[in-house]
Amino acid sequence: MARPQSITDPGVDYSNARVLLRADLNAPLADGAVADDSRLLASIPTIRHLLDAGAGIGICSHLGRPKGEKVDELSLAPVAERLSTLLGEPIELCDDVVGPAIANAAARLGSGQLIMLENVRFEAGEEANDAAFADELAKGFTHYVNDAFGAAHRAHASTEAVARRLPSRAGLLLAREVEVLGGLLERPERPFVAVLGGSKVSDKLPLIESLLERCDRVLVGGAMCFTFLAALGDPVGMSLHEDEAGQEMARELLDLAVRRNCMLQLPADILCADDFSADARLEVIPSDSIPDDMMGVDIGPQAAGSYREVIDSARTVFWNGPMGAFEIPPFAAGTRAVAEAMAESDGATVVGGGDSGAAVVQMGMADRFTHVSTGGGAALEMLEGKALPGVAALPSA
């Protein structure tokens, strides 16, 4: 994928510009307040850069899935309040997304001023990528910056159509995501290892196919390993696994790995439980011998040690998907082992967002990786080799 022009590239003067900034502020809320401000913090370098350059900024973002209707519980009010605190700058929250009052507020923006539009998904035209809605969204602004990598795989009005109506650039976060993830596709230092978890082989089929073409080894954990084991004819007990269609996909991937000369490695042992709960009876069992009355909940210690050795010897590691049900403490050892091995690596270490990104944040290790992506779905689609509409709409460097 071509690198988009960034706000740090020459050619645009943001002094006295009125910038529509698409950020990804889709933060979880609890009791009417932001419960995790990771995405807000990730947006601050771009906001600060534009403010320092003399711009006034209108921030727009989605929050949740209101499906084109105004939902009070999904107002960006708590997000605006928290972001204002983090920035140390006042942010005026508008009570709408588009309309004459919003266009006037945008047109009055002075250098260093900040406003935030209401939840852009309150408007049906957003997810429809409606041209008329994009025209309204652009009114009053002189420039557009997309920093919402987590939404860049969606062709929505605020990520795609509006970029074609104003002079447009990528924000610092989006530019960094494209640079790092593009590097995995084009020029990874070898050995290149991928660690994949998650529930279903079918959900990650294009990603696995893409990585098998590029990696030297793919390490499999999470519930998807049980679909591979079942495909090989091994008993998986009560473990979560896919039906025959999913198992056929797994067999095809095993064959593809051989043809691509990429080792697809399954765990040698499994931590099994008799119940999906923190007080379940646990037993470490060889991966080809899971009893009928038990379920796999994590990779076992032998597998964790083997995966750690592979990661230690790699020069590039990409990780997406936990090794087990890490949210339950007794089932978290495999995920922690992978996180620790990557954190201690001398090579490039990239976490593909989603649950694995949440795991490294929960474990307090996020700052020990080369890059932790803010866009789970967007990161995976990029690594599948797909064009991201929100990136493709920006001018290339």
Side-chain angles (χ1 to χ4, degrees):
M1 177 177 290
R3 184 176 75 85
Q5 291 183 19
S6 164
I7 55 175
T8 59
D9 291 335
V12 177
D13 181 5
Y14 288 108
S15 60
N16 298 310
R18 303 187 301 276
V19 177
L20 176 64
L21 170 64
R22 178 51 160 104
D24 181 7
L25 307 178
N26 184 31
L29 304 180
D31 300 322
V34 173
D36 177 358
D37 54 18
S38 300
R39 290 185 174 179
L40 281 64
L41 290 167
S43 73
I44 286 177
T46 292
I47 296 172
R48 182 58 62 193
H49 180 93
L50 292 170
L51 290 176
D52 290 346
I57 306 172
I59 303 170
C60 71
S61 176
H62 73 283
L63 180 64
R65 297 179 178 179
K67 298 181 179 179
E69 298 183 0
K70 188 169 184 178
V71 179
D72 290 343
E73 293 78 12
L74 294 178
S75 169
L76 283 170
V79 175
E81 180 180 355
R82 180 58 181 158
L83 183 59
S84 176
T85 299
L86 293 171
L87 274 169
E89 304 280 356
I91 299 176
E92 176 190 350
L93 178 67
C94 301
D95 59 4
D96 215 333
V97 183
V98 294
I102 307 303
N104 288 337
R108 292 195 305 269
L109 272 173
S111 176
Q113 292 183 325
L114 288 160
I115 62 173
M116 183 179 291
L117 312 187
E118 249 303 0
N119 188 340
V120 73
R121 287 189 183 173
F122 284 177
E123 298 285 340
E126 162 66 358
E127 294 189 72
N129 201 18
D130 181 74
F133 174 65
D135 289 339
E136 290 297 308
L137 194 59
K139 283 184 177 178
F141 294 101
T142 61
H143 296 76
Y144 169 77
V145 172
N146 190 351
D147 209 32
F149 181 72
H153 59 316
R154 307 297 188 198
H156 292 170
S158 70
T159 61
E160 201 272 345
V162 75
R164 305 183 187 280
R165 286 158 170 76
L166 294 167
S168 300
R169 291 289 177 99
L172 302 177
L173 173 64
L174 188 145
R176 171 68 175 163
E177 294 270 13
V178 173
E179 177 187 4
V180 172
L181 296 172
L184 296 181
L185 290 172
E186 299 161 9
R187 51 188 182 279
E189 192 173 347
R190 297 187 177 278
F192 178 19
V193 172
V195 186
L196 298 179
S199 298
K200 295 182 177 181
V201 173
S202 55
D203 286 347
K204 293 186 177 177
L205 180 63
L207 174 67
I208 301 171
E209 290 175 336
S210 176
L211 291 173
L212 288 175
E213 292 185 6
R214 294 174 168 85
C215 290
D216 299 291
R217 191 179 299 223
V218 173
L219 310 178
V220 179
M224 73 162 62
C225 77
F226 303 117
T227 297
F228 280 101
L229 292 170
L232 293 171
D234 295 332
V236 295
M238 299 188 297
S239 307
L240 181 66
H241 65 284
E242 293 182 80
D243 60 14
E244 179 55 35
Q247 292 172 42
E248 180 57 31
M249 289 180 194
R251 283 188 284 269
E252 291 173 359
L253 289 170
L254 289 164
D255 289 341
L256 179 63
V258 173
R259 296 198 303 273
R260 295 284 185 262
N261 197 29
C262 174
M263 182 173 181
L264 194 156
Q265 184 172 340
L266 300 174
D269 59 345
I270 299 292
L271 178 68
C272 292
D274 63 355
D275 186 47
F276 194 71
S277 65
D279 57 357
R281 178 175 63 85
L282 302 178
E283 187 175 351
V284 175
I285 295 172
S287 59
D288 61 357
S289 308
I290 300 173
D292 291 344
D293 61 349
M294 299 195 83
M295 66 183 74
V297 292
D298 193 11
I299 61 173
Q302 183 180 342
S306 174
Y307 287 10
R308 180 186 283 274
E309 289 179 5
V310 173
I311 292 168
D312 285 346
S313 63
R315 296 303 305 158
T316 305
V317 186
F318 170 75
W319 178 25
N320 179 263
M323 297 294 95
F326 73 95
E327 62 275 10
I328 300 176
F331 309 159
T335 300
R336 180 173 289 277
V338 167
E340 289 175 346
M342 290 181 66
E344 295 164 5
S345 170
D346 293 329
T349 52
V350 180
V351 181
D355 288 341
S356 42
V360 299
V361 170
Q362 178 181 307
M363 294 174 183
M365 299 186 198
D367 61 349
R368 298 174 62 190
F369 295 83
T370 303
H371 184 70
V372 179
S373 179
T374 58
L380 299 192
E381 289 199 14
M382 187 169 174
L383 289 175
E384 289 167 11
K386 294 180 180 177
L388 306 185
V391 177
L394 300 172
S396 299

